[in-house]
């Protein structure tokens, strides 16, 4: 952060559970673990401008391009400590907005009017929504995720993300409101006429280098501009080297082969959100089928490109 010369307006940081919460190994230390997470989150937030939107997630594993350089090789870090932060400055023509939908224990039906408040409905410039369910092990979590995803499953926007272990920061809310044992959904919404995006789904049948690269070819065919573009990989904890029979970094390497200048970030989680979907330069979706897309998956990987528009030569 000491080398940042442009103040960030929005920050997404993701760390694996060991890095963020320490090395507690038994349930009796759950309170200490939560306290440690809270202290770490507060320390990170203090490094950033007060008006900065911060979304922090904890996941079982990390996908990261070291130092954020597009020339570096992206790494799938399934074991050991790892984490990253993406710092988005103010970008002309692009609005990035955080949101949080906690599950209301009193009401079984989600109030969809909250979508408009978060910029997810009645927003003609909405292009991409990254969604992250948390505490998915809680009763009713899957049903609640369906209540959020299904109304947003429109052909005009990209939906991508997955199930994480927890979220630790969401500074757009009351700073005293800390994550609890309740379940819910957090995320980022990208709006703006210059934003372009595409996703592909690597299903359970994608289990070798050839089929992984075929999926990247589909993503390449979307013709999303690669300059000022970020790649995201949301994979199941059951994939990685276990799925590819001890061969590590298979999907990240396949991505880099076709997108050598696009940095890749993401995580290994407990369920994936996404499908084959492309919003092209004229913002007309190229649909892959005529039926409503199935967006919730297990044992899959979702690859996503988000293009934030062209910049002036001196930027």
């Amino acid at each position: 952060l000491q080398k940042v010369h442009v103040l960030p307006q929005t920050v997404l940081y993701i760390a694996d559970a060991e890095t963020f919460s320490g090395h507690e190994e038994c349930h009796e230390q759950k309170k200490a673990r939560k306290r440690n997470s809270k202290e770490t989150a507060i320390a990170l937030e203090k490094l950033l401008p007060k008006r900065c939107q911060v979304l922090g997630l904890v996941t079982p594993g990390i996908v990261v391009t070291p130092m954020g350089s597009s020339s570096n090789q992206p790494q799938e870090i399934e074991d050991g400590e790892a984490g990253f932060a993406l710092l988005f400055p103010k970008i002309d023509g692009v609005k990035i907005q955080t949101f949080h939908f906690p599950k209301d224990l009193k009401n079984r039906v989600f109030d969809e009017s909250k979508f408009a408040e978060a910029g997810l409905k009645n927003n003609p410039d909405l292009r991409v929504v990254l969604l992250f369910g948390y505490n998915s092990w809680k009763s009713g979590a899957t049903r609640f995720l369906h209540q959020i995803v299904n109304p947003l499953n429109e052909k005009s926007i990209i939906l991508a993300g997955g199930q994480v272990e927890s979220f630790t920061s969401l500074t757009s809310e009351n700073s005293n409101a800390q994550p609890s044992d309740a379940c819910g959904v957090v995320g980022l919404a990208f709006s703006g006429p210059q934003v372009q995006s595409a996703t592909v789904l690597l299903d359970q049948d994608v289990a070798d280098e050839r089929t992984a690269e075929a999926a990247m070819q589909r993503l390449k065919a979307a013709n999303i501009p690669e300059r000022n573009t970020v790649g995201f990989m949301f994979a199941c904890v059951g994939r990685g080297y276990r799925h590819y029979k001890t061969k590590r970094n298979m999907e990240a390497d396949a991505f880099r082969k076709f997108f050598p200048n696009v940095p890749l970030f993401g995580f290994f989680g407990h369920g994936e959100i996404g499908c084959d979907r492309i919003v092209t330069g004229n913002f007309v979706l190229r649909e892959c089928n005529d039926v409503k897309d199935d967006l919730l998956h297990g044992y899959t990987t979702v690859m996503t490109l988000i293009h934030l528009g062209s910049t002036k030569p001196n930027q």
Side-chain angles (χ1 to χ4, degrees):
L1 293 175
Q2 294 177 351
K3 297 181 180 179
V4 174
H5 299 289
V6 179
L7 287 178
Q9 190 172 64
T10 307
V11 173
L12 169 66
Y13 73 79
I14 304 178
D16 76 283
E18 283 190 11
T19 299
F20 209 86
S21 303
H23 299 274
E24 295 85 354
E25 297 178 353
C26 61
H27 295 292
E28 286 75 10
Q29 294 174 317
K30 198 171 184 180
K31 290 184 179 179
R33 184 181 179 119
K34 281 187 180 179
R35 185 166 59 249
N36 190 15
S37 298
K38 181 178 178 180
E39 291 170 356
T40 304
I42 292 173
L44 285 170
E45 291 165 14
K46 285 182 177 179
L47 297 173
L48 300 163
K50 289 185 178 180
R51 294 185 178 180
C52 184
Q53 296 184 104
V54 184
L55 175 58
L57 307 174
V58 175
T59 64
I62 297 296
V63 179
V64 60
T65 301
M67 302 303 293
S69 171
S70 59
S71 62
N72 288 332
Q73 180 180 0
Q75 298 178 8
E76 300 175 18
I77 305 176
E78 300 178 63
D79 305 307
E81 299 182 25
F84 67 85
L86 288 177
L87 284 66
F88 297 96
K90 179 177 173 56
I91 304 171
D92 290 340
V94 178
K95 182 179 181 180
I96 305 175
Q97 189 171 350
T98 60
F99 60 84
H100 178 206
F101 302 130
K103 184 178 184 296
D104 188 343
L105 300 178
K106 298 179 181 179
N107 299 312
R108 287 179 57 84
V109 180
F110 178 74
D111 181 5
E112 294 189 12
S113 67
K114 295 179 180 178
F115 285 136
E117 297 173 13
L120 302 179
K121 285 288 186 181
N122 305 320
N123 178 5
D125 288 332
L126 181 63
R127 299 285 179 258
V128 186
V129 181
L130 298 183
L131 297 141
F132 310 108
Y134 62 88
N135 289 344
S136 59
W137 53 273
K138 294 287 291 185
S139 175
T142 300
R143 182 178 180 273
F144 182 74
L145 181 60
H146 276 280
Q147 290 184 5
I148 301 299
V149 170
N150 289 345
L152 299 176
N153 190 3
E154 299 177 356
K155 298 292 187 180
S156 59
I157 61 175
I158 295 294
L159 293 176
Q163 296 270 25
V164 302
E165 291 198 356
S166 61
F167 81 96
T168 53
S169 292
L170 193 66
T171 54
S172 62
E173 294 200 337
N174 186 331
S175 60
N176 294 322
Q178 295 297 324
S180 68
D181 286 335
C183 59
V185 175
V186 294
L188 295 173
F190 294 78
S191 303
Q194 67 195 41
V195 177
Q196 299 185 47
S197 184
T199 56
V200 294
L201 176 70
L202 286 68
D203 62 24
Q204 298 180 40
D205 295 335
V206 177
D208 56 36
E209 187 175 9
R210 178 184 61 83
T211 51
E213 290 186 357
M216 302 309 157
Q217 286 178 317
R218 296 203 311 275
L219 192 60
K220 186 78 172 180
N223 292 320
I224 301 297
E226 295 182 26
R227 183 175 173 80
N228 300 321
T229 294
V230 178
F232 288 97
M233 173 179 165
F234 306 115
C236 178
V237 290
R239 291 183 72 87
Y241 68 86
R242 299 172 185 85
H243 182 71
Y244 288 100
K245 299 178 181 177
T246 72
K247 187 166 184 179
R248 294 179 179 269
N249 228 62
M250 176 75 80
E251 293 175 348
D253 286 345
F255 178 88
R256 188 170 188 259
K257 180 177 180 178
F258 290 90
F259 303 95
N261 297 310
V262 177
L264 182 67
F265 302 93
F267 59 75
F268 290 89
H270 303 295
E272 302 76 58
I273 303 170
C275 64
D276 279 30
R277 185 175 284 188
I278 301 165
V279 176
T280 60
N282 59 357
F283 310 117
V284 175
L285 190 80
R286 286 166 32 199
E287 299 180 16
C288 297
N289 54 56
D290 295 325
V291 299
K292 193 146 187 170
D293 293 317
D294 183 10
L295 294 176
L296 302 181
H297 312 278
Y299 300 103
T300 64
T301 297
V302 174
M303 288 286 188
T304 306
L305 294 175
I306 301 179
H307 173 65
L308 299 174
S310 60
T311 58
K312 297 177 182 178
N314 61 348
Q315 288 184 318

